[in-house]
Amino acid sequence: MTPLLKNGTGTYSDDLEFLKKHTDVIELIDGTGESRVAIVAAMQGRVMTSTAEGLDGQSFGWINRELIESGEFVEHINVFGGEDRFWIGPEGGQFSVFFKKGDPFDLEHWQTPAAIDTETYEVARKTGSSVLFTKRFNLKNYSDYEFRIEVQREVRLISASNAWSHLRLEGRDDLKITAFETDNRIMNVGRGIWNKKTGLLSIWILGMLKHSPDTTVIIPIRKGDPAQLGPEVNSDYFGKVPDDRLQVKDGMVYFKADGQYRSKIGISPARALPIAGSYDPSAGVMTIIQFSFDPKAKDYVNSMWELQEEPYGGDVINSYNDGPPAPGKEPLGPFYELETSSAARELRPGEKITHIHRTFHIVGDKPALDELARKIFGVSLDTITEAL
């Protein structure tokens, strides 16, 4: 039985030992021993979990113990978990890399490519604070164009002082922080030019995190006239999200992440800002993500499961809340996700696109986290918890 902390979450040491029983784990540890990150090369170099308080501290990433323990792969997708995993988009549409040419866009025909699902990435370089993974593979899209790809993915542990600097704040003793970033690159190693007519790719980073009944996702957006900037949030992925689960107020999107209702939202490039996060009052944790974002870039792959009028009209930021896909069906986890994507770009042979996704977890009591929320998001913790 998994040991639990007072707030009901498992410890990092227990998750680490579980992973070590079933696979090789690369651990990055700061000089204090408190900030730690556990990474698995066999799962595409994904960051499985992290902690801000040493071996006995909270473990932030959601891990699918049942699937990992089975030692077997399942069809469609292997939901191993992990708070930073590497994917490639688009998922749906005429340039999808998850559907074969002519197949209907349904769960029966949806298949996650092995290179981003089950295959091991090679360790090219490792230091005490970073590890670089590489992988070469071919990928064919729905329009029957075959990409020859090289992936370079570096995971870097960020020191506490640099983490506070990234947040443009001074460090403080009453808060514990862990931070890491992944520097992700895909290179065209084929002979042809990747172009819009045959389809483009994006780097897609997804973080699977532990839900709670009171966890709220927070996404600041650019304010402005919908006639010029479009809708404030895209909530059409799995149907309309009820008002008690999604609200937009004063330039902030609030989305319920309780793992009880399957739903997903997205933020367009016209509305996106390079930051998002969540707050879990029961665990006393604020999570923040930052990512590389060029506001001038307009082309983002569209992952809607349909033949699309705007295949490059996709979202920059997504958040997913797991839950039963149908009455009587089991959820994937449950868990919730914070996701970001790179822009799509035409690439000549030897050219590449890069996407950096940075994750911070900050642990503390409510007054300290409230001060943090006001400085970073411009809202209080009460505003966050009372929004839904």
Side-chain angles (χ1 to χ4, degrees), residues 67-374:
L67 178 60
I68 294 172
E69 201 165 25
S70 75
E72 298 179 356
F73 295 145
V74 298
E75 62 177 346
H76 302 306
I77 182 176
N78 286 271
V79 186
F80 297 119
E83 58 174 305
D84 184 309
R85 80 177 193 271
F86 176 86
W87 259 20
I88 291 176
E91 185 178 357
Q94 54 267 48
F95 303 130
S96 167
V97 293
F98 288 71
F99 290 90
K100 293 179 181 178
K101 184 176 181 179
D103 281 352
F105 295 107
D106 58 30
L107 275 173
E108 182 181 349
H109 294 87
W110 175 69
Q111 181 61 53
T112 309
I116 55 172
D117 187 43
T118 57
E119 294 184 359
T120 297
Y121 283 22
E122 297 177 7
V123 177
R125 184 182 67 245
K126 183 183 181 303
T127 70
S129 60
S130 69
V131 56
L132 173 66
F133 300 96
T134 60
K135 180 73 174 178
R136 279 200 176 199
F137 53 90
N138 293 359
L139 202 57
K140 186 177 286 189
N141 69 11
Y142 187 90
S143 294
D144 228 20
Y145 182 82
E146 188 167 38
F147 300 91
R148 295 188 65 192
I149 300 165
E150 179 177 300
V151 172
Q152 299 172 353
R153 170 174 163 84
E154 186 168 16
V155 183
R156 296 189 285 254
L157 183 65
I158 301 172
S159 69
S161 60
N162 285 337
W164 290 117
S165 179
H166 281 306
L167 294 171
R168 299 182 179 179
L169 296 172
E170 292 186 4
R172 40 194 303 170
D173 295 333
D174 55 348
L175 292 170
K176 296 288 187 179
I177 188 169
T178 189
F180 62 89
E181 65 183 13
T182 59
D183 185 332
N184 306 274
R185 305 178 184 197
I186 54 175
M187 180 188 297
N188 177 0
V189 292
R191 295 182 178 179
I193 299 173
W194 298 357
N195 63 70
K196 283 188 173 184
K197 291 183 180 180
T198 52
L200 299 178
L201 302 175
S202 72
I203 297 168
W204 187 2
I205 303 300
L206 305 94
M208 306 173 81
L209 302 166
K210 295 177 179 178
H211 71 289
S212 79
D214 302 315
T215 298
T216 302
V217 168
I218 322 148
I219 309 177
I221 59 171
R222 193 178 305 279
K223 297 180 182 179
D225 187 350
Q228 295 181 332
L229 299 181
E232 293 174 308
V233 60
N234 172 16
S235 59
D236 295 335
Y237 285 91
F238 302 123
K240 178 177 168 55
V241 181
D243 290 345
D244 62 347
R245 291 185 165 273
L246 175 65
Q247 287 288 323
V248 183
K249 301 176 182 178
D250 299 322
M252 190 73 70
V253 176
Y254 302 96
F255 180 53
K256 198 167 188 65
D258 61 353
Q260 301 300 311
Y261 186 91
R262 186 170 182 254
S263 47
K264 183 174 180 176
I265 61 171
I267 308 298
S268 72
R271 293 285 188 179
L273 299 170
I275 189 170
S278 63
Y279 172 57
D280 180 351
S282 62
V285 177
M286 180 172 293
T287 296
I288 300 163
I289 58 169
Q290 295 176 338
F291 57 97
S292 50
F293 174 61
D294 179 0
K296 296 179 182 178
K298 305 301 180 186
D299 293 330
Y300 284 81
V301 299
N302 188 341
S303 283
M304 299 293 285
W305 286 21
E306 61 189 15
L307 294 177
Q308 303 156 353
E309 293 183 6
E310 298 183 46
Y312 301 107
D315 293 322
V316 182
I317 304 171
N318 291 102
S319 183
Y320 170 75
N321 183 48
D322 195 28
K329 298 289 186 180
E330 292 293 323
L332 290 172
F335 52 83
Y336 75 98
E337 291 182 323
L338 294 172
E339 314 169 10
T340 68
S341 294
S342 72
R345 189 161 63 86
E346 295 185 333
L347 296 182
R348 295 180 178 276
E351 292 184 334
K352 57 191 171 185
I353 57 176
T354 300
H355 185 64
I356 296 174
H357 181 104
R358 189 177 294 140
T359 303
F360 307 79
H361 299 293
I362 305 168
V363 181
D365 60 22
K366 184 176 178 180
L369 289 176
D370 182 68
E371 185 177 341
L372 191 72
R374 291 173 186 270

